[in-house]
Amino acid sequence: MYKLNAVSLAVAATIAAASFPALAQDQQDQSQLERVVVTGSAIKRLDAESSVPVTTFKMSDIRQQGLTTVEQILSTLTASQSSLGTSQAVGSSTGGASFADLRGIGANKTLVLLNGRRIANNAFDGSAPDLNMIPLAAIERIEVLRDGASSLYGTDAIGGVINFITRSDYQGGTVTLGYDSPQHAGGKTRNANAGFGYGDLDKQGFNLFGFVDLQKQDPIGGTQRDYNTRFVGGKSGSTLPANYYQDGSTVYNPAAPTCASGIFLVPNADQTSCTMSTSRFVDYVPESQRASAMLKGTVKLSNDHTFGAEYFITRSEVKTRIAPVPYGFLVQNRLRPDGSPNPFYPNNPALSSTYDGDNYAGQTMTDGGATIQPGYITLKWRDAPNGPRGDKNTNTQQRLVLSLDGTLAGWDYSAGLSYNQNKVTEDLISGYTDGNKITEGILTGIINPFGDQDAAGTAYLQSANALGRLMIGKGRTTNLDAHASRELGDWLGAGRAAALALGAEFRQEKFTQDAQDAYAQTVVASTGIDPNIYSSGKRDVYAVYGELNVPLLKTLDVTAAVRYDKYNDFGSTTNPKVSFRFQPSKEVLIRGSYSTGFRAPSLYELHAAPTYTNSSTVNDPVLCANGGTTINLCDAQFMVRNGGNDQLKPEKSKSASLGFQFAPLNDLSFGVDFWWLRVKNLIGVIGDASLFDPANQDKFGQFYHRNSQGQLSVDGSQCPGTDCGYVDVRQLNLGGNNTNGFDLNANYRLRLAGAGNVMLGLNSTYVTKYEYQDLQDGPWNQNVGVYSGAGPVFRWQHTLSAVWSYDKFTVGLTGHYKSGYIDVTPTNHVGSYTTADLYASWRPIKPASLTLGVRNIADRDPPLSFQTQVFQAGFDPRYTDPTGRTFYVRGSYDF
């Protein structure tokens, strides 16, 4: 949902520097290169020797651009197809998480590391680490490997690896303050961070430093932008005033035919009923705040050995709002229990005073409730008096690492013990109510479903509030790892030594997810959470790996790596990788790789307990095959069953890359990296667009479980139960995924005599193919430039930057582009999305800097989209930003 920024210039420069040592020395002012471990390799080597495509983000550049979240930073990477951001926490139990998704193959296939080691996955779904949990203020650089790496890192590294690397020997202090203010209402952001370090590791033998980082963002509400008025998004038949009927053939609403007197109502074609545009209640951007702190200490035990200890804690709180609780199949009697007329019963001459078509007469609807008399209506109502549903997701991540690094018997070694914990809680803070009390209040004539409440109705609705702790999730990962590397000598007379790395790892993962059953029982209808849910899982993983680099010629070297993983819950897997680096001259570099990879099913995917929730707004593919407005059959949210599957198999992949980099001039470099990726046994759920397509019923009919009336349930109170109609969308091994394309990069420095330099940078990704299968051996769905399944894949993405630097001043301009696509509604073509950002930085004295900037200079609105995958309507927040033109200021001081 956030924009790209001018940091892409640093990306292009880093790619060029990594490829050409001479240009690296000139542009990065390196007088000598230090041997380091680069992401994607276990061998300690010169950073200019890498044979894999690694993009580096320098935090010094990032801070200058005014970027304050990892989500914003990674959105500058064109290799990432979607932004699985915090906004998607609205209406779903993600704990407010934000995820990375390289190549668009799923966030769970991008491995996220902190200082080369794993952190715990999000405890609610176990898919991947939450990017909001990264202690950003302590980060020195971010390395992104755009290539498969299971041969070194094991599971999850199919799409690539993102490694956040903290400062290692910080001294002095720093304070940074920032403020973002959108031109339109909502979305203001405040942030501050500070750090202090003491001790020179080389001279004093120790270093200790710590950082704290604070950020708070205001929400952007559903009425603060008008994107959802482009079409009736999030339509629902549960309205205020309520829709009602007796036999279902004719549906009435007292606000019809204009529907102007209700809340966000839209007229139906039948002229007698209304629907509600629920998306206007939904936050475009949720309210959030984050606090993180990190403390790291390093001690030299001798000239050859160093001991380190590192602790970080991050706490993220995200508050979301969606439409008030909908209720379906409520029954209203024309009489109160004492036999007196119900004052809220509609005065509609078309109603029968003796209607008993459903044979309810004499039945007691709820425990202790009134008996239904002949003459009643069934209605669908929304509890707007209690307001929008609001929840608070609190996510706390902690990690403790003890490490030992050094040189022993000619080997450079590193060993570490780490403990990671992620805890997520979900609290209901507004709008949720006890469904049994609401049913009773409608039946007995206390609640007025058609207008304002009297004093008794208001007090009753307030007493029905059900707010409190709904869910707790906890994930823990304990990791013990060790690896070592050394040079083996110049085997073939190439002028450079061969090198070997060996490593081993033990990892234990645990997770639990627990609903607060006594409380959740009262709100099951409005949350979709099974009150009896309790999920847990545990696994042990053992792994060994090795990497060998052999220079065959002065201009050519080959690297081979292999890793063996053994899981106690599904077996073992072996994954090799081979790569080469050929540099026939200082101006030309050719590199390539081939590897296999895998992703083990997460503990959540294996062991999550069954839960029932709502689909997106769709038609019953059988009973409403031709569309329409028939209540409970068309334009409805049907019950779906989620949950784990202990029969899942690992996902497996094959990937290859071939890159060409050129530096014909000292100030010019450009290149292209071709990539190819195949994945099979994909783990996931079938998207609503495919699952509810009438043309797919031969394939997906097996997942439909209809109730005794042959229908799918739309009332959550029926599920789970003996007569629950639902669609089974538990985790499955689906078919495959094939994608390929190329990444382009270019970097040029224009020297202005006496007026500084202008740096021009380009990063682009072109997707040649992206296709997937819904089921094993099923047909291939084409996804490039087409909304299919869960979303589109962009053919082109560009980031173009120009930065002028002179003396104490820097000015930068960046343009961002995403190509258009055919929408989920094929008659709509979603236009391309182009924005531009501008910033200026001034350093009046060496320790101080001030940056002013504006994102989305032209105030570009997101293009129209009819997607229903997420709660926001009228556009797609996964790929565009509803914030609009935003001004920001950053100030920092070092001491």
Side-chain angles (χ1 to χ4, degrees), residues 210-375:
F211 283 86
V212 294
D213 188 19
L214 305 172
Q215 176 166 314
K216 179 176 175 60
Q217 181 170 26
D218 295 339
I220 298 178
T223 58
Q224 291 178 307
R225 301 291 187 274
D226 62 357
Y227 309 136
N228 55 22
T229 63
R230 296 164 168 176
F231 79 103
V232 183
K235 293 184 294 183
S236 172
S238 296
T239 59
L240 180 67
N243 285 313
Y244 64 94
Y245 57 93
Q246 286 190 326
D247 60 8
S249 60
T250 304
V251 181
Y252 302 98
N253 191 297
T258 65
C259 301
S261 61
I263 298 178
F264 302 148
L265 297 189
V266 179
N268 281 331
D270 58 19
Q271 296 291 300
T272 61
S273 66
C274 309
T275 56
M276 177 180 281
S277 178
T278 58
S279 63
R280 301 191 194 184
F281 291 99
V282 175
D283 284 336
Y284 284 107
V285 175
E287 177 184 349
S288 64
Q289 55 185 355
R290 185 187 68 245
S292 64
M294 182 172 185
L295 185 65
K296 185 174 182 179
T298 309
V299 178
K300 267 198 170 184
L301 303 180
S302 68
N303 288 334
D304 294 329
H305 307 284
T306 302
F307 174 77
E310 164 195 317
Y311 173 76
F312 89 80
I313 181 170
T314 300
R315 185 178 186 273
S316 173
E317 183 178 282
V318 178
K319 295 180 180 179
T320 69
R321 290 176 299 180
I322 60 175
V325 177
Y327 288 96
F329 301 114
L330 293 174
V331 175
Q332 186 187 46
N333 235 142
R334 64 182 181 86
L335 301 176
R336 283 181 164 175
D338 61 4
S340 62
N342 184 341
F344 307 127
Y345 194 80
N347 183 20
N348 185 339
L351 297 179
S352 167
S353 62
T354 60
Y355 177 76
D356 190 23
D358 294 315
N359 300 312
Y360 281 154
Q363 295 186 26
T364 300
M365 295 302 295
T366 58
D367 292 340
T371 299
I372 296 181
Q373 303 297 323

Side-chain angles (χ1 to χ4, degrees), residues 100 104 299 332 342 375 393 433 445 520 551 670 680 769 783 883:
V299 178
Q332 186 187 46
N342 184 341
N393 300 276
T433 48
F670 56 91
K680 66 178 182 178
K769 174 191 288 187
N783 211 172
T883 307

Side-chain angles (χ1 to χ4, degrees), residues 425-441:
T425 60
E426 181 178 5
D427 295 279
L428 306 184
I429 58 176
S430 66
Y432 288 91
T433 48
D434 183 334
N436 289 333
K437 292 198 70 172
I438 296 297
T439 301
E440 190 76 14

Side-chain angles (χ1 to χ4, degrees), residues 38 55 69 71 185 198 230 342 352 402 455 477 500 519 525 548 564 578 607 610 641 699 729 738 769 799 809 843:
V38 178
T55 299
T69 68
E71 187 176 327
Y198 178 73
R230 296 164 168 176
N342 184 341
S352 167
L402 304 177
T477 302
L500 174 68
Y519 164 73
L548 177 65
Y564 172 80
V578 61
H607 304 296
R641 182 191 185 192
K699 292 187 294 183
V729 295
N738 296 334
K769 174 191 288 187
T799 301
F809 300 94
R843 188 175 288 274

Side-chain angles (χ1 to χ4, degrees), residues 19-23 555 583-589 661-664 666:
S19 304
F20 305 101
L23 188 59
T555 57
Q583 189 168 4
S585 67
K586 67 177 184 179
E587 296 86 9
V588 179
L589 170 69
Q661 298 289 329
F662 308 94
N666 283 338

Side-chain angles (χ1 to χ4, degrees), residues 824-848:
V824 63
T825 302
T827 55
N828 180 52
H829 184 273
V830 179
S832 62
Y833 186 57
T834 304
T835 60
D837 307 329
L838 176 68
Y839 78 92
S841 182
W842 175 48
R843 188 175 288 274
I845 57 176
K846 187 175 181 180

Side-chain angles (χ1 to χ4, degrees), residues 447-649:
I447 298 173
N448 179 9
F450 302 110
D452 296 334
Q453 306 299 315
D454 59 19
T458 298
Y460 187 89
L461 283 171
Q462 290 177 347
S463 71
N465 272 318
L467 309 177
R469 178 67 45 87
L470 178 66
M471 184 89 73
I472 299 174
K474 183 180 289 187
R476 288 156 289 181
T477 302
T478 303
N479 201 85
L480 177 63
D481 64 87
H483 69 266
S485 67
R486 66 168 297 164
E487 292 186 345
L488 302 176
D490 187 357
W491 289 354
L492 303 176
R496 290 176 292 125
L500 174 68
L502 299 173
E505 179 183 359
F506 167 75
R507 185 171 73 255
Q508 184 178 83
E509 302 172 1
K510 299 179 181 178
F511 108 102
T512 57
Q513 187 182 45
D514 187 15
Q516 307 303 287
D517 53 357
Y519 164 73
Q521 184 71 51
T522 65
V523 291
V524 61
S526 53
T527 63
I529 299 297
D530 187 331
N532 299 313
I533 183 175
Y534 178 80
S535 306
S536 67
K538 175 183 175 182
R539 69 156 48 121
D540 294 333
V541 184
Y542 304 86
V544 292
Y545 59 90
E547 181 183 11
L548 177 65
N549 172 257
V550 180
L552 303 180
L553 304 169
K554 290 183 179 180
T555 57
L556 174 65
D557 63 87
V558 174
T559 301
V562 64
R563 175 174 171 129
Y564 172 80
D565 289 84
K566 182 176 177 57
Y567 285 68
N568 70 330
D569 54 357
F570 75 79
S572 61
T573 179
T574 301
N575 292 278
K577 181 172 185 175
V578 61
S579 61
F580 75 91
R581 181 182 187 277
F582 177 56
Q583 189 168 4
S585 67
K586 67 177 184 179
E587 296 86 9
V588 179
L589 170 69
I590 303 172
R591 64 190 178 196
S593 69
Y594 174 81
S595 63
T596 67
F598 79 104
R599 186 184 78 85
S602 71
L603 293 175
Y604 177 86
E605 290 168 333
L606 290 170
H607 304 296
T611 60
Y612 292 84
T613 187
N614 294 323
S615 69
S616 58
T617 302
V618 292
N619 294 329
D620 185 311
V622 175
L623 302 181
C624 189
N626 297 320
T629 59
T630 304
I631 199 162
N632 300 333
L633 297 179
C634 306
D635 291 331
Q637 292 178 281
F638 299 107
M639 296 308 299
V640 294
R641 182 191 185 192
N642 301 295
N645 181 355
D646 59 9
Q647 301 300 309
L648 292 174
K649 299 177 181 178

